[in-house]
Amino acid sequence: MKLIDGKKISSDKRAEIKEEVAKIKQQTEKIPGLATVLVGGDPASRVYIKSKIKACEDAGIKSFHHNLDANSSKEEIIALIKKLNENSEIDGILLQLPLPQNKDAQECLNAVSPLKDVDGLHPFNAGLLNLSKSWNEIIEKNILVSCTPLGVVHILHKSGIIIEGKTAVVIGRSNLVGKPLSMLLLANNATVIMAHSKTRNLKEICKSADIVVAAVGKSKFVNKDFIKTGAVVIDVGINRTSEGLCGDVDFDAVKDMDIKITPVPGGVGPMTITMLLENTLKAFNNRKRYLSNRMP
Ligand code: NAP
């Protein structure tokens, strides 16, 4: 087994982002800004928000945090988002998910200006991703794509793993992870199978794949029976168990196989926040271009 070091790839990328932010400051006297919105006080969400704010500070990105009461109505959340849309110091808006009390998150996400949609969850950006024909097009057009899937592809590229022509199975079809990741792998010319809870013969399907991505949300779900020799295994899962933080892959069960694998923690997790910083820079540049095109 060979570990794919997401932590190292992530810290290298953060150093590049920090340099880019410093250059922007020097050339434009502007500081890219990210607003985070937390509704309620879910302990895991608090930890994520704290890490996001800290990462912004480290990179020189200005952060603006808003904490709304857990009982806030959908209208109150949307009103705050609209205010953030109007704030010229803010380039990106991140609404921390999940929202409490099963509030319809998509309706709130739809209120985020597509130009500030650093999570890539607005229908406009999700649509651009689906319409794009290649990875180059996604990069050249600065399309805002959901951070975790973007992080996974970055990890694959930086690890020298060739995606083109490979068979990739993505277990999970959420709007946040599975769907956008499948589109990104397709744009990288993989043959993609998107699996879900109704998929039959999942083990056999995975066993035939060169790349297996587990984004299921079930600890140790993927074991030896899912993986072929030589496969690349990307574990997106973050599950809090009595044994501690645990991925969707049963790491101990596969660790003696001849595979490449991202660990949990230290694999995909750090890349998600790094891609949030990257998307904030993209949003800054997209807004700058958009606003200058609007000038008479
Ligand atoms: P989600 O919205 O709950 O989606 C889970 C997906 O897994 C669904 O599509 C579901 O299928 C599928 N699934 C559930 N049981 C299955 C089964 N028995 N066989 C095959 N597919 C099954 O979760 P998510 O937001 O995509 O997140 C997935 C995991 O990634 C979670 O552990 C989450 O904590 C983690 N995550 C990590 C990061 C990070 O930064 N590393 C970021 C986001 C999420 P159906 O659609 O049919 O229900």
Side-chain angles (χ1 to χ4, degrees), residues 129-279:
L129 172 64
N130 282 8
L131 292 173
S132 63
K133 290 198 181 77
S134 68
W135 173 250
N136 279 349
E137 187 181 331
I138 292 165
I139 297 302
E140 278 161 18
K141 291 190 177 163
N142 254 359
I143 297 173
L144 294 171
V145 180
S146 178
C147 301
T148 303
L150 204 56
V152 169
V153 171
H154 193 78
I155 285 176
L156 291 170
H157 286 167
K158 284 289 167 188
S159 308
I161 291 161
I162 294 169
I163 305 175
E164 181 160 316
K166 300 284 176 66
T167 301
V169 175
V170 179
I171 318 174
R173 57 173 164 182
S174 68
N175 290 338
L176 188 65
V177 186
K179 259 188 229 166
L181 181 53
S182 298
M183 296 313 296
L184 288 180
L185 292 169
L186 192 63
N188 277 275
N189 294 324
T191 302
V192 183
I193 299 169
M194 208 189 306
H196 47 78
S197 66
K198 306 291 185 289
T199 298
R200 289 189 197 159
N201 306 324
L202 182 61
K203 283 182 188 171
E204 289 75 9
I205 291 170
C206 289
K207 193 109 191 171
S208 70
D210 304 303
I211 301 171
V212 175
V213 182
V216 196
K218 291 189 171 154
S219 88
K220 301 186 182 179
F221 180 82
V222 170
N223 58 38
K224 228 173 167 160
D225 300 340
F226 289 67
I227 311 294
K228 76 172 178 189
T229 301
V232 173
V233 182
I234 305 290
D235 191 351
V236 178
I238 300 181
N239 306 291
R240 282 158 222 282
T241 70
S242 54
E243 296 164 36
L245 210 61
C246 181
D248 287 346
V249 178
D250 188 346
F251 190 85
D252 287 335
V254 301
K255 71 172 192 265
D256 293 330
M257 294 181 76
D258 176 18
I259 56 170
K260 290 182 181 156
I261 183 168
T262 57
V264 176
V268 175
M271 280 310 290
T272 295
I273 297 185
T274 304
M275 291 298 108
L276 176 64
L277 305 176
E278 167 98 336
N279 276 351

